Amino acid sequence: MSADPAEPVYRNPVLDADWSDPDVIRVGDDFYLTASSFGRVPGLPLLHSRDLVNWTLVGHALQRLEPESEFAVPRHDCGVWAPSLRHHDGRFWIFWGDPDRGVFQVNAPEIRGPWTRPHLVKAGKGLIDPCPLWDEETGEAYLVHAWAKSRSGVKNRLTGHRMHPHGTELLDEGKVIVDGDRIPGWFTLEGPKLYRHDGWFWIFAPAGGVETGWQGAFRSRAFFGPYEEKVVLEQKDTDVNGPHQGGWVRTPSGEDWFLHFQQRGAYGRVVHLQPMRWGGGGGGWPVIGDDGAPVAEHRRPDLPPQPPAAPATDDDFPGGRPGRQWQWTANPRDGWATHHSADGLRLTCVRTPDAHDLRALPNVLTQRLPGTPCTVEVDLRLDDGEPGARAGLAVLGDAYSWIGLQRGPDGTVRLVHRFAETVADQERDAAPARPAPGGRARLRVDIDDGARCRFSYDTGDTANTADTGDGAGEGGFRPSGQVFAATPWRWVGALLGLVALAPTGQGHAGTATFTQFRIRIQEKRADR
């Protein structure tokens, strides 16, 4: 979806999918945003906008997760947590926390790269959500980060460091500069973003938990404190739960705006744009949204109108290459996808002992589940291969369901539909297998606004309708199985996935070709 520039207002969310923990900057007339990518590869997505409402995905800053051996298998809730994006000394910088290894950074002369390999700035367990600051007045550099209790036993506090201006190392052991345990009613303080404004050091930091929290602002005349605090954005009487964690940006005309997320279950953390001004309460504090409550719609930023735009979803896979919107569930290996001269994604049926559980597979190609009701379709052909080779379209989370094709012991191809509950360690049939003449099918998932998924298929075999008794629907599609409620991972929204796999064995197990991947929004909101 995209926002119509002819409309005088925009509507939230401006990014209606799981762009978790966003941070934003302006460089000249361009705005850039990055977000958490956790264990998916490539990581650190890079989005671009000219009006803060219409965004496109222009690349990724991280091509592989390190150490490579640890991310050779899915680690859905690990990897890249809450990055901070900055522009300093003619370079783009991204700092992030790997909760198991420490604080990393990469940098590049241009947003599209080339980006450096990850550099470990501070090693340690539970170091998350780092943000640097280069003080242009003094030449000093600083870094603040939060803590993950699951790894360190510590939470609800922010630690500050002096940092080398080159951004490569810290210059002290660090000091707790904000202790949330000392603030009545505050808990799970994390996600800090560090700024200088009007002679103050400012830390914008959320608290209160992902689903129900609030946005805080802290200020001090000195980096190491003491800091005073104020709640500057909270749900109040709106339907936007937990509006917090994001970044402040100023337009060329001097307007201030704040981008943050809202946790929406299986849809993940969608991104909202809030107006912001300075001077609240007579003490120079930021005022975000409508006097501290999130807005559902608002006058557009004072920026030149832009054509409607949104991160890509559809894909014809020209030359066999997936578009930027796709990510693997772990570091990819050579041979998973074959480049060729025509359109279509040709995936190798990767041999694996985990064919019974898609959640354990590194070779699932994924993209974000749209936050609006939609219909997802893709054509699939299962090419020559051995019995047990299979491929399909999945809705993937802590529970999952997929529909696709599988070659049987007699060499014939059948339409299969399987699922696994959150507590199950292997999948089972969601519907009886059906003949798929020619080894082809068009697969469909209709997803409503509760992330309830209805699977259907069209094998082109109209004569089979009478045999199954389920009747052909629109365009020959026949429903399959019960309604499946998509579920998120712990920190990640549900994903759409394409997969090809085979049982363990020797030799080449065959390939599967996906073509004409499409997502059609059922309730268009182009006036967002």
Side-chain angles (χ1 to χ4, degrees):
M1 294 182 303
S2 57
D4 184 349
E7 290 288 329
V9 300
Y10 71 90
R11 291 179 174 83
N12 278 315
V14 293
L15 284 166
D16 203 356
D18 187 23
W19 302 95
S20 179
D21 312 319
D23 194 24
V24 62
I25 60 170
R26 177 177 67 87
V27 180
D29 294 327
D30 297 287
F31 299 92
Y32 299 103
L33 181 147
T34 192
S36 295
S37 51
F38 298 97
R40 301 194 301 280
V41 180
L44 289 173
L46 303 168
L47 288 84
H48 170 255
S49 177
R50 284 288 184 92
D51 64 1
L52 289 171
V53 175
N54 291 283
W55 292 88
T56 57
L57 179 64
V58 298
H60 292 82
L62 190 61
Q63 296 308 308
R64 299 185 73 82
L65 289 165
E66 298 183 6
E68 292 211 11
S69 60
E70 290 189 13
F71 290 96
V73 296
R75 303 181 68 204
H76 299 287
D77 300 325
C78 300
V80 176
W81 283 24
S84 292
L85 174 62
R86 292 293 181 263
H87 190 260
H88 166 71
D89 196 25
R91 298 186 71 84
F92 291 88
W93 302 77
I94 302 178
F95 284 67
W96 75 93
D98 179 322
D100 299 301
R101 300 196 63 220
V103 173
F104 288 86
Q105 62 97 334
V106 292
N107 59 87
E110 305 289 343
I111 195 68
R112 290 172 175 82
W115 289 85
T116 61
R117 287 190 60 176
H119 174 79
L120 184 61
V121 178
K122 180 183 180 180
K125 294 274 191 181
L127 311 179
I128 60 169
D129 309 352
C131 185
L133 171 70
W134 287 270
D135 189 336
E136 304 297 343
E137 296 181 7
T138 66
E140 296 289 321
Y142 305 94
L143 183 130
V144 63
H145 70 79
W147 294 85
K149 187 175 182 178
S150 60
R151 272 69 164 191
S152 65
V154 176
K155 64 176 289 189
N156 205 31
R157 66 186 63 173
L158 306 179
T159 295
H161 292 268
R162 292 179 61 242
M163 183 177 72
H164 194 290
H166 290 167
T168 55
E169 60 182 316
L170 304 178
L171 302 179
D172 56 35
E173 294 300 314
K175 175 184 175 183
V176 175
I177 57 177
V178 179
D179 186 346
D181 289 346
R182 295 179 178 271
I183 307 174
W186 284 59
F187 61 95
T188 316
L189 176 64
E190 56 190 2
K193 296 292 181 278
L194 183 59
Y195 307 98
R196 280 284 260 160
H197 173 69
D198 196 27
W200 297 85
F201 287 90
W202 289 90
I203 300 174
F204 286 31
V210 170
E211 294 185 353
T212 59
W214 59 89
Q215 181 66 36
F218 300 81
R219 69 179 185 184
S220 174
R221 292 294 184 183
F223 172 70
F224 287 104
Y227 283 84
E228 52 185 326
E229 81 283 342
K230 183 178 177 66
V231 175
V232 293
L233 183 69
E234 56 187 328
Q235 181 171 351
K236 295 190 176 180
D237 60 354
T238 74
D239 60 0
V240 180
N241 58 292
H244 70 320
Q245 189 156 343
W248 160 47
V249 69
R250 174 167 286 178
T251 69
S253 65
E255 288 185 345
D256 295 303
W257 297 86
F258 183 73
L259 284 137
H260 67 90
F261 76 72
Q262 174 199 8
Q263 171 66 38
R264 290 192 57 221
Y267 299 116
R269 303 175 188 181
V270 303
V271 178
H272 292 237
L273 176 66
Q274 303 294 338
M276 176 176 146
R277 60 184 174 84
W278 290 92
W285 291 91
V287 179
I288 300 176
D290 180 9
D291 195 24
V295 299
E297 63 179 48
H298 193 269
R299 172 190 57 81
R300 285 174 167 272
D302 181 21
L303 292 163
Q306 300 296 317
T313 56
D314 295 355
D315 206 347
D316 288 319
F317 309 105
R321 293 171 171 83
R324 295 189 183 101
Q325 65 268 36
W326 297 97
Q327 297 170 291
W328 299 99
T329 48
N331 282 328
R333 302 172 199 167
D334 292 340
W336 283 359
T338 303
H339 296 168
H340 52 88
S341 59
D343 289 353
L345 178 69
R346 190 177 299 162
L347 294 183
T348 298
C349 295
V350 175
R351 294 188 180 278
T352 173
D354 296 315
H356 58 279
D357 190 349
L358 299 191
R359 294 165 295 197
L361 300 181
N363 59 304
V364 184
L365 193 61
T366 68
Q367 65 166 283
R368 293 163 179 83
L369 186 72
T372 299
C374 65
T375 296
V376 183
E377 291 185 10
V378 67
D379 282 331
L380 170 62
R381 183 183 75 239
L382 189 61
D383 301 318
D384 290 342
E386 69 173 34
R390 68 200 74 166
L393 168 66
V395 178
L396 187 64
D398 278 339
Y400 72 84
S401 185
W402 71 278
I403 190 168
L405 300 173
Q406 179 170 331
R407 189 170 299 279
D410 60 355
T412 62
V413 176
R414 299 180 72 82
L415 190 293
V416 296
H417 182 190
R418 300 196 174 107
F419 79 105
E421 303 164 85
T422 300
V423 295
D425 58 6
Q426 63 180 21
E427 65 188 24
R428 57 194 180 97
D429 287 336
R434 310 289 174 83
R440 296 171 179 266
R442 185 150 182 86
L443 311 173
R444 174 188 282 184
V445 187
D446 291 294
I447 306 171
D448 69 15
D449 58 6
R452 292 183 297 270
C453 305
R454 293 170 173 83
F455 288 78
S456 57
Y457 65 95
D458 180 7
T459 59
D461 180 20
T462 56
N464 192 44
T465 304
D467 297 334
T468 62
D470 51 20
E474 175 193 347
F477 279 91
R478 293 187 282 265
S480 180
Q482 300 297 317
V483 173
F484 170 75
T487 64
W489 308 95
R490 186 178 182 190
W491 306 125
V492 181
L495 301 167
L496 299 171
L498 304 178
V499 64
L501 60 151
T504 55
Q506 300 297 318
H508 184 62
T511 61
T513 301
F514 296 87
T515 54
Q516 293 186 315
F517 183 91
R518 299 288 184 268
I519 297 181
R520 184 174 72 251
I521 301 301
Q522 296 175 0
E523 295 180 3
K524 190 174 182 181
R525 290 168 52 202
D527 57 348
R528 215 182 44 215

